[in-house]
Amino acid sequence: MAFKLASVSTLALTAALGMTMAACTSMPGWGGAGTNPAVQAPAQVQWVRDVHSHARPEIARVGHVDLDLTADFDRKVLSGTATLDISGRAGADQIILDVRNLDIESVSDGAGRALTWRLSASDPILGQALEIELPPLSAGETRKLVINYATRPDAAALQWLNPSQTAGGEQPYLFSQGQAILTRTWIPTQDSPGIRQSYSARIVVPEDLKAVMSAEMLTPEGEPAGPGQRAYRFRLRNPVPPYLIAIGVGDIAFASLGERTGVYTEPSMLEAVRAEFPAVESMVEEAEALYGPYLWGRYDLLVLPPSFPFGGMENPRLTFATPTIVAGDQSLVALVAHELAHSWSGNLVTNATWDDFWLNEGFTVYFENRIMEAVYGRDRAMQEQVLGWEDLQGELADLPPEDTRLKLDLAGRDPDEGMTNIAYEKGAFFLRTIERIVGRDRFDGWLKGYFERNAYRPMTTAMFLEDIRTYLIRGDAALEEALMMDAWVYQPGLPSNAMAPVSQAFDPVDAAARSVFLEGGAPPQSLWQGWNTQQRQRFLAWRPEGHQAGQDWLSDAQLKALDEGLGLSAAGNSEVLFAWLQIAMTHRYEPAVAPTEAFLTGMGRRKFVLPLFQTLWGEGEWGRDLARRIYAEARPLYHPVTSNSVDAVVGVPN
Ligand code: BES
Ligand code: ZN
């Protein structure tokens, strides 16, 4: 069933496989399409086989999801109904949904008549196909399906937090993380990024909690719903890939930032969070000035409890973010620029399959950096680019060459494995290469058009190449040759037209690093005071030429001088602290063990947690004992996304 798109045209393949071009002009569930001019149904969608979904959308597809769920914090279960609007080709007598680790109680039609259904054997990555028999559909018909179901306490998308895992310490908390293929562990639907669905929801929660979703909030204060409970209702008219359906429930307060921006977080964090993000409103304005109107209405942030496994997640209208970006000095706000940029790259123009993940992330890193440049200036943007370039070099050295292509082949693998710096940084440097060669004005004109032409559509690498050849290159053979586009997307490594970015702000930093790390000089205390976070990260990223993982380059005396001179173990900035703890643990520097333990039990962001456990694991029995001891304490605090990754390194503590 795995087939690869390669460079053959999508049209030819869809024809060869007998797939239909689905006409979606009268897509179900657009609830008053036309009342919201921002929502435009694509005239048609080209179905591309997604090997990470059981769905066959060319036969029958979901267009709208309506949830009516109750959150039971004692049992750690969401239960109720998902009512799906479905349509399909004439005569279709079956629809296939994706589910994983769900308890399906019944399936019926809109009139309550039971339908026949069965579950396939479970694949550890993909879960199960839920096949539902239908009286044959007629062309243009929209029908309702009602699925009665419950999630399991260990649903991979969901984390149920005890009060002690929150900032307030009084109330429990629940949040979801759908990307890449985890939505099927809490919603029975077609879980493929090419199958866009609008959604609505009614969520019943204990009365002292509030529910938020990646959607328009219809009942900001909630409404009574039986003893001790309140219900919150939501609606998202813009159709989205199901990985963008998201929920948070907890003791959540709101503060406004600007006309269409604000922050949600626990009350005890609200003031710090509000103070960190005054730039968000101007980020939205600059983003619009670059690539066209923001089509989602509001842009709010939900700053989650510390176990949120990612830095950020671009859930529509409501970016989810880790509290580790609340640094106190706005130094880590590039993450917000990144998630905001996804409102175009990813949420409007969406990777058709996880093999095309670079189209989401590479475009977003490019766009993120343009927002940073517009708001904070060229200098700051170049610093971020240089840090990204160094991350990319590290990734290129670590990965097997076939995983360094932009276009991936993840058949039989977890799409998580495509989440590398290749998609992010090689993708962004590809676009910067095009920008450099054609000039910024021309590039921006094309990119803005690309978002407009392809809004609400799934995008493959081949379709991207076709778009840029049609609208930017226009048959210019010399330009085609200079860009080396096929090499960028289909070949490993970096093509010869890649250029390393340069930041003069890093010159004194590099000089100081050489003096300290190579020549045994004293820590640059006064310089450090004047450096921004990006310069500090650059300093701590220094490694000897040809450095191998685990290899030492500092003495205990040097480590002590650095730690005490620069206050590293006490750093309040999560990126700086993480970079230091990586160095300290590589050297088995005992005084940093307690701060490492505190860091690893204080938050669950995988980008920090996993590399630190990998470092410890590489340090022989000393590190392995430490890793096992810390993980036994930390694992119950982590989201499944993080613990599943760490399990593969440290094992499951008993
Ligand atoms: N969409 C990603 C997060 C993601 C990717 C979750 C794939 C699950 C599967 C998000 O936009 C992202 O890239 N977050 C980064 C931060 C960003 C600034 C690079 C992160 O969480 O570290
Ligand atoms: Zn991203």
Side-chain angles (χ1 to χ4, degrees):
M1 82 172 197
F3 95 82
K4 208 173 134 212
L5 193 67
S7 56
V8 191
S9 102
T10 322
L11 265 175
L13 267 179
T14 22
L17 286 165
M19 289 183 176
T20 51
M21 302 262 289
C24 301
T25 31
S26 58
M27 238 175 53
W30 285 52
T35 60
N36 181 353
V39 182
Q40 281 157 26
Q44 49 188 210
V45 170
Q46 297 176 15
W47 297 112
V48 176
R49 183 81 184 94
D50 171 10
V51 297
H52 293 110
S53 168
H54 294 99
R56 298 289 305 275
E58 72 282 7
I59 297 172
R61 58 156 292 172
V62 176
H64 182 83
V65 177
D66 180 44
L67 301 171
D68 190 345
L69 297 174
T70 299
D72 181 337
F73 281 86
D74 295 328
R75 289 166 51 231
K76 301 187 193 305
V77 163
L78 284 174
S79 65
T81 57
T83 302
L84 310 180
D85 287 358
I86 64 163
S87 60
R89 70 182 182 205
D93 58 2
Q94 188 190 56
I95 185 163
I96 305 180
L97 310 179
D98 293 298
V99 300
R100 186 181 141 203
N101 203 20
L102 286 184
D103 286 318
I104 305 292
E105 198 175 294
S106 66
V107 182
S108 54
D109 67 11
R113 282 181 294 258
L115 294 172
T116 303
W117 55 276
R118 82 186 78 80
L119 287 167
S120 72
S122 190
D123 177 281
I125 298 170
L126 304 183
Q128 294 165 293
L130 171 56
E131 302 173 2
I132 300 166
E133 306 301 334
L134 309 167
L137 288 168
S138 42
E141 180 190 358
T142 296
R143 227 186 261 171
K144 287 198 190 301
L145 278 184
V146 183
I147 301 166
N148 225 291
Y149 75 103
T151 62
R152 304 246 174 96
D154 61 346
L158 303 178
Q159 193 181 12
W160 299 84
L161 301 177
N162 301 318
S164 66
Q165 292 167 273
T166 66
E170 302 275 326
Q171 298 289 352
Y173 203 104
L174 164 69
F175 67 88
S176 69
Q177 165 57 44
Q179 202 181 9
I181 54 170
L182 303 180
T183 294
R184 64 192 69 176
T185 72
W186 75 286
I187 302 174
T189 189
Q190 292 179 319
D191 190 11
S192 173
I195 309 177
R196 303 184 83 88
Q197 298 152 43
S198 50
Y199 82 90
S200 45
R202 176 175 175 271
I203 307 291
V204 177
V205 304
E207 65 189 347
D208 7 348
L209 303 185
K210 182 183 181 70
V212 295
M213 291 190 87
S214 54
E216 202 181 321
M217 202 185 276
L218 301 177
T219 53
E221 304 309 322
E223 47 195 30
Q229 297 192 308
R230 287 188 89 69
Y232 291 83
R233 287 185 293 111
F234 304 89
R235 170 184 65 192
L236 186 67
R237 283 207 173 102
N238 319 47
V240 291
Y243 71 81
L244 292 177
I245 304 176
I247 187 170
V249 180
D251 184 7
I252 297 172
F254 174 79
S256 176
L257 292 172
E259 213 173 307
R260 46 181 170 167
T261 54
V263 289
Y264 289 92
T265 196
E266 288 185 68
S268 66
M269 309 241 310
L270 191 60
E271 184 42 36
V273 168
R274 193 197 55 74
E276 194 74 15
F277 301 111
V280 174
E281 186 78 25
S282 61
M283 284 183 175
V284 179
E285 282 161 18
E286 295 295 352
E288 289 190 307
L290 281 164
Y291 300 123
Y294 177 76
L295 296 181
W296 306 86
R298 292 193 57 84
Y299 180 76
D300 294 319
L301 280 175
L302 173 66
V303 176
L304 287 132
S307 65
F308 186 63
F310 292 107
M313 178 64 214
E314 65 272 26
N315 297 315
R317 296 176 61 102
L318 185 63
T319 282
F320 283 26
T322 167
T324 63
I325 59 164
V326 183
D329 60 1
Q330 304 176 37
S331 58
L332 302 177
V333 296
L335 183 133
V336 177
H338 178 97
E339 306 311 337
L340 170 64
H342 272 305
S343 306
W344 289 257
S345 44
N347 298 5
L348 281 185
V349 185
T350 308
N351 51 207
T353 73
W354 301 111
D355 288 351
D356 305 299
F357 182 55
W358 80 273
L359 293 172
N360 274 20
E361 297 300 342
F363 275 67
T364 297
V365 171
Y366 175 84
F367 191 169
E368 162 199 346
N369 198 252
R370 294 294 304 275
I371 296 171
M372 291 302 287
E373 179 179 329
V375 178
Y376 296 96
R378 177 91 179 149
D379 203 38
R380 168 68 176 277
M382 290 312 295
Q383 294 175 31
E384 310 261 14
Q385 279 193 34
V386 173
L387 293 176
W389 177 264
E390 290 308 318
D391 289 345
L392 174 58
Q393 298 309 313
E395 200 79 283
L396 286 167
D398 289 350
L399 286 175
E402 55 292 359
D403 287 346
T404 68
R405 305 170 204 270
L406 286 176
K407 169 74 178 181
L408 297 171
D409 177 9
L410 294 168
R413 297 168 76 182
D414 191 313
D416 244 30
E417 294 185 37
M419 255 196 91
T420 70
N421 276 313
I422 300 301
Y424 287 82
E425 295 295 341
K426 182 180 171 182
F429 280 107
F430 175 30
L431 298 184
R432 288 179 194 131
T433 303
I434 304 173
E435 182 209 305
R436 196 186 69 232
I437 293 174
V438 304
R440 181 170 273 194
D441 285 351
R442 243 181 107 187
F443 182 76
D444 282 352
W446 168 75
L447 186 48
K448 190 172 182 191
Y450 169 86
F451 290 137
E452 273 167 21
R453 283 187 290 281
N454 302 298
Y456 299 106
R457 288 217 173 82
M459 177 65 51
T460 64
T461 299
M463 287 160 67
F464 150 77
L465 287 172
E466 194 178 308
D467 187 281
I468 197 167
R469 288 191 166 117
T470 305
Y471 295 100
L472 182 68
I473 302 175
R474 300 170 189 264
D476 180 338
L479 179 56
E480 173 74 46
E481 195 181 344
L483 294 178
M484 306 179 76
M485 296 200 301
D486 289 305
W488 274 97
V489 299
Y490 297 123
Q491 298 303 316
L494 285 182
S496 57
N497 63 359
M499 256 175 75
V502 178
S503 166
Q504 268 96 43
F506 287 167
D507 291 347
V509 179
D510 292 347
R514 276 191 302 274
S515 141
V516 176
F517 297 126
L518 222 45
E519 291 145 24
Q525 250 165 306
S526 60
L527 284 174
W528 178 268
Q529 292 311 322
W531 286 344
N532 70 8
T533 294
Q534 287 64 38
Q535 290 171 305
R536 292 175 179 191
Q537 286 181 269
R538 170 75 175 188
F539 179 78
L540 295 173
W542 189 94
R543 294 291 181 276
E545 198 72 19
H547 178 257
Q548 303 288 312
Q551 190 187 315
D552 293 2
W553 67 95
L554 295 169
S555 67
D556 264 13
Q558 282 178 299
L559 288 159
K560 185 166 156 37
L562 275 172
D563 191 9
E564 290 170 5
L566 309 179
L568 295 175
S569 289
N573 186 292
S574 60
E575 293 283 353
V576 170
L577 180 61
F578 165 70
W580 160 246
L581 296 176
Q582 280 283 67
I583 297 172
M585 291 304 98
T586 299
H587 290 88
R588 309 188 192 186
Y589 178 64
E590 287 288 346
V593 166
T596 302
E597 180 165 0
F599 188 56
L600 288 172
T601 52
M603 56 84 229
R605 184 175 175 186
R606 183 169 69 176
K607 175 184 138 177
F608 295 149
V609 168
L610 181 61
L612 276 169
F613 276 112
Q614 283 167 329
T615 297
L616 289 175
W617 206 248
E619 290 301 315
E621 273 319 298
W622 177 87
R624 294 187 179 200
D625 284 348
L626 195 53
R628 284 189 207 99
R629 182 167 65 73
I630 296 176
Y631 194 40
E633 189 189 340
R635 190 174 184 273
L637 310 173
Y638 293 161
H639 185 279
V641 159
T642 298
S643 55
N644 286 335
S645 298
V646 181
D647 285 353
V649 177
V650 180
V652 182
N654 40 36

